[in-house]
Amino acid sequence: MTEPGQVFSALKATCLDDWDAFIRHDFVRQLGAGDLPEACFRHYLGQDYIFLIHFARAYALACFKSDELDDMRAAAATLDALINAEMALHVKYCAGWGLSEAEMAALPEADANLAYTRFVLDAGMAGDLLDLLVALAPCVMGYAEIGTWLAADSARDHDQATRYRDWIALYAGAEYQEVAKGALEQLDRVAARRLGAEPTASPRWAKLAKTFRTATRLEIGFWDMGLAPPG
Amino acid sequence: MTEPGQVFSALKATCLDDWDAFIRHDFVRQLGAGDLPEACFRHYLGQDYIFLIHFARAYALACFKSDELDDMRAAAATLDALINAEMALHVKYCAGWGLSEAEMAALPEADANLAYTRFVLDAGMAGDLLDLLVALAPCVMGYAEIGTWLAADSARDHDQATRYRDWIALYAGAEYQEVAKGALEQLDRVAARRLGAEPTASPRWAKLAKTFRTATRLEIGFWDMGLAPPG
Amino acid sequence: MTEPGQVFSALKATCLDDWDAFIRHDFVRQLGAGDLPEACFRHYLGQDYIFLIHFARAYALACFKSDELDDMRAAAATLDALINAEMALHVKYCAGWGLSEAEMAALPEADANLAYTRFVLDAGMAGDLLDLLVALAPCVMGYAEIGTWLAADSARDHDQATRYRDWIALYAGAEYQEVAKGALEQLDRVAARRLGAEPTASPRWAKLAKTFRTATRLEIGFWDMGLAPPG
Amino acid sequence: MTEPGQVFSALKATCLDDWDAFIRHDFVRQLGAGDLPEACFRHYLGQDYIFLIHFARAYALACFKSDELDDMRAAAATLDALINAEMALHVKYCAGWGLSEAEMAALPEADANLAYTRFVLDAGMAGDLLDLLVALAPCVMGYAEIGTWLAADSARDHDQATRYRDWIALYAGAEYQEVAKGALEQLDRVAARRLGAEPTASPRWAKLAKTFRTATRLEIGFWDMGLAPPG
């Protein structure tokens, strides 16, 4: 495989139905159309705050598990960006939605959140760096696809003044797209180092595809959770 | 604290409503009364097969994390019993319900299963042996309480010829009760070694109570899953 | 590769000089000839007690990291044997050499011991099950080779009444040889599952060979330590 | 305990002889006097390159194991600084000593390096964040003490044109001293959260003191290694 993103494409191809159910989820459609109930969005934002913490822990684990400096550097930079920069942006954005950091930190963690984040962390602990990166891929790459899709869709079909414009702009924006591209390339690189030139021919492929699919299903569960705010 | 089981009792006392919702769950009541739909029980058994594998991994982790030989020995013996003995009994029991091991191994893992098992494993990885044992406690001790309650209840109120008699007898039986007592004592011992004579006065207590409560809530989620078999 | 033990043979072939320096170490030669100073042997026995504890932890980790039941079962059985049986034998044997368990537990851990055991554990944590099994292989297989060699050598050249006869008999014996054979087969099996039919053609091979060689060098360091008792 | 650095002071007080043997080691004295053979310094620099990689991994692990955002942030910032900034400085400094990064990356890792780094990582994996921070403390704080001592000593007694002036200035400098102060405060904070107001009264204290002492002894082993360059 030599085309950039080929490992991700090959993984996605093993579970296209699940992938579409994640990317085109009702939560996403409603968010793009601007008619997602605000209670749902707030519920999502609060849980996403908790999610980001464990997602950052997964990048810390990726750094711990790297045996090449380039992978350590990539993981350390992502981790620092997440926990020392993005987190502050997220907190500020949430404040605009009436959610204080103290409130979010006190929220009970939803089961869908526990399932997704702890699955990713355990996939990394039980396996190697590649197992971990594959478990992380649906989130990183999925949000890039969703951002791009919604931005294009919004431009075409909807009033730009949607309530969720800033959220869409974040993931459609050049900075996030660059992060996703970096993750795509790292997945190719680590797969080449650990599986060789034909990842899909490796005896590990079926297990990696299962991990990718489970993480994708857990993304769907996360959107489902978003549509069902408590109370 | 010197009375056996005091740490467990103190943890339970912090979330009695959740604990009762777990122990007296409809799944448990119906199982005890013998009117639990068999599709639910089979769904539960299949997921429990997967659960046991990750539960065994948690005991392997407990052994890895022990810094005293008695804790290593206890964890290694439990692990060996689970994976080299109980597992075979479970498989045999499931065969009686028409579930082959190959079928169970091929089942997609339910989200409730992922959430519970991976939460326990991550609690152990992120924390120390005590964090792990506290996360394991609701399962080990809860099944002992459920077994005892249902056995007494069955004796009093129901036809002994219930379909689920063997399941109840397993957890009400002397062997399982002894395992639970050992876990109770280990929890006291490890808490004393890491928190001192007054565990509830430790600054860690609130976090430990949160872990115990989350694991209890995830047990409730596991029963909920049992009542909702697929298709 | 289809001949049993081919992965181990291929790893050994990458560092034959180090391997011979480990197997034919002066400590081993003197032990076989019966002229190893008893102070050296006692120093070795005491450190080996500490070694066994961390070696057992490595098998616990192997069980945690397994994604196939056969590997979990193998690791759990080895762990239980080590910690609940071998350990007691070792303690009894050491008592015959005037070393009580309390004394051994109170020994400061030698740097050579720290280096070897923690390297193996970290190789397993950072990598996958295969990285861990490769790091464990020199010890498991080396002692089998040493036992066989010394037993044959003793039969040929030396007075059978050597002081170290029981130690040699343990590792030359059928039971230990069977353990080593199981480890040999597991290494083939896990390598096939993770690297495919030609492990030496995998891009991971160089790193695995480095891990094997480092562990072999650390075995040499352990014998060096044995020859240099404190005081 | 309320005075800053009290936990570190209390740990140091449990092993003052070892601490002095580390801080006042011949390697350090010769370095300060400017008469350390350059072959020793180069050997040290090359191994320190490898050390930094695993030290960075330990901070990644600290981030993974944190359950408070302030600890995650501190660990992530240190990790990013180490791997994405300090490392480049170290490489540049080593180039001035005729050591290329490629050469250093190809060096066999000394046993003293393996022992120290892997001990720290395993202490963190087996225990909790506090166990890890205690294992890291001798390095972080020791280099700050050494830098301060040598800078004062150099000012008083030696020609300022010592070959090792830049190395001393690095660790005596405000930036590094600030890093050490941050680590000192984090140790107090995490000890308070996990052990309460009187850390030395905790049942964990003896084990923590043992970890601190072992890490200090392994620092001594690292200097010993520096004085014994290969060939």
Side-chain angles (χ1 to χ4, degrees), chain C:
Chain C
M1 294 190 175
T2 50
E3 198 179 305
Q6 287 210 354
V7 172
F8 170 66
S9 300
L11 287 166
K12 207 166 69 170
T14 66
C15 61
L16 279 177
D17 288 355
D18 288 308
W19 187 260
D20 282 342
F22 158 37
I23 302 294
R24 313 296 193 213
H25 195 279
D26 272 353
F27 187 99
V28 177
R29 292 182 187 278
Q30 293 176 24
L31 192 150
D35 54 15
L36 179 73
E38 296 199 354
C40 294
F41 191 62
R42 268 195 207 91
H43 180 42
Y44 161 78
L45 285 181
Q47 290 296 321
D48 202 38
Y49 173 82
I50 301 172
F51 179 85
L52 274 175
I53 293 171
H54 295 288
F55 201 62
R57 291 179 60 224
Y59 277 97
L61 185 59
C63 187
F64 168 81
K65 291 184 81 84
S66 298
D67 51 18
E68 298 282 342
L69 270 176
D70 54 2
D71 289 321
M72 287 188 77
R73 283 182 181 130
T78 303
L79 167 60
D80 190 52
L82 276 169
I83 206 76
N84 286 318
E86 306 287 333
M87 202 79 184
L89 285 177
H90 188 82
V91 166
K92 199 174 159 190
Y93 180 70
C94 291
W97 282 89
L99 288 162
S100 74
E101 183 164 13
E103 274 174 291
M104 294 190 291
L107 288 172
E109 189 173 355
D111 287 8
N113 212 343
L114 286 162
Y116 190 7
T117 54
R118 304 318 194 275
F119 168 75
V120 169
L121 289 162
D122 182 52
M125 270 297 174
D128 63 6
L129 179 63
L130 181 58
D131 292 298
L132 178 54
L133 294 180
V134 165
L136 284 165
C139 179
V140 182
M141 259 68 101
Y143 273 60
E145 282 196 18
I146 287 168
T148 302
W149 176 52
L150 291 185
D153 199 51
S154 302
R156 227 176 26 247
D157 300 330
H158 304 291
D159 180 358
Q160 284 296 315
T162 166
R163 288 172 289 182
Y164 305 118
R165 192 173 41 182
D166 290 349
W167 189 93
I168 296 169
L170 173 67
Y171 295 108
E175 197 179 342
Y176 186 78
Q177 294 289 326
E178 200 57 36
V179 167
K181 188 160 164 282
L184 214 63
E185 290 166 354
Q186 189 185 19
L187 193 55
D188 284 340
R189 192 170 70 229
V190 173
R193 279 176 188 161
R194 297 192 75 85
L195 306 183
E198 290 297 336
T200 59
S202 161
R204 288 179 61 183
W205 186 254
K207 175 81 191 300
L208 291 166
K210 190 181 173 188
T211 296
F212 186 88
R213 185 182 192 177
T214 300
T216 301
R217 283 203 300 112
L218 291 165
E219 278 285 357
I220 297 170
F222 205 89
W223 291 140
D224 289 345
M225 176 267 289
L227 288 181

Side-chain angles (χ1 to χ4, degrees), chain B residues 65 67 125 127 204 207, chain D residues 65 67 125 127 194 207:
Chain B
K65 291 185 82 83
D67 50 18
M125 272 295 174
R204 288 178 62 184
K207 176 81 190 300
Chain D
K65 292 185 80 85
D67 50 19
M125 271 297 173
R194 298 193 73 85
K207 176 81 190 302

Side-chain angles (χ1 to χ4, degrees), chain A residues 109-171:
Chain A
E109 190 173 354
D111 287 8
N113 212 343
L114 286 161
Y116 190 7
T117 56
R118 304 317 194 277
F119 168 75
V120 170
L121 289 162
D122 182 53
M125 272 296 174
D128 63 7
L129 179 62
L130 181 58
D131 291 298
L132 178 54
L133 295 180
V134 166
L136 285 165
C139 179
V140 182
M141 259 67 100
Y143 273 60
E145 283 196 18
I146 287 168
T148 302
W149 177 53
L150 291 185
D153 198 50
S154 302
R156 234 184 11 255
D157 301 330
H158 304 291
D159 180 358
Q160 283 298 312
T162 165
R163 287 171 290 182
Y164 306 118
R165 191 173 42 182
D166 290 349
W167 189 94
I168 295 169
L170 173 67
Y171 294 108

Side-chain angles (χ1 to χ4, degrees), chain A residues 46-121:
Chain A
Q47 290 297 320
D48 202 37
Y49 173 82
I50 302 172
F51 178 85
L52 274 176
I53 293 172
H54 295 287
F55 201 61
R57 292 179 59 224
Y59 276 97
L61 185 59
C63 187
F64 168 81
K65 292 186 80 85
S66 297
D67 51 19
E68 298 283 342
L69 271 175
D70 54 1
D71 290 321
M72 287 188 77
R73 283 183 180 129
T78 304
L79 167 60
D80 190 52
L82 275 169
I83 206 76
N84 286 317
E86 306 287 334
M87 202 78 183
L89 286 176
H90 187 82
V91 165
K92 200 175 157 189
Y93 180 70
C94 292
W97 283 89
L99 287 161
S100 74
E101 183 165 12
E103 275 173 289
M104 293 191 291
L107 287 172
E109 190 173 354
D111 287 8
N113 212 343
L114 286 161
Y116 190 7
T117 56
R118 304 317 194 277
F119 168 75
V120 170
L121 289 162

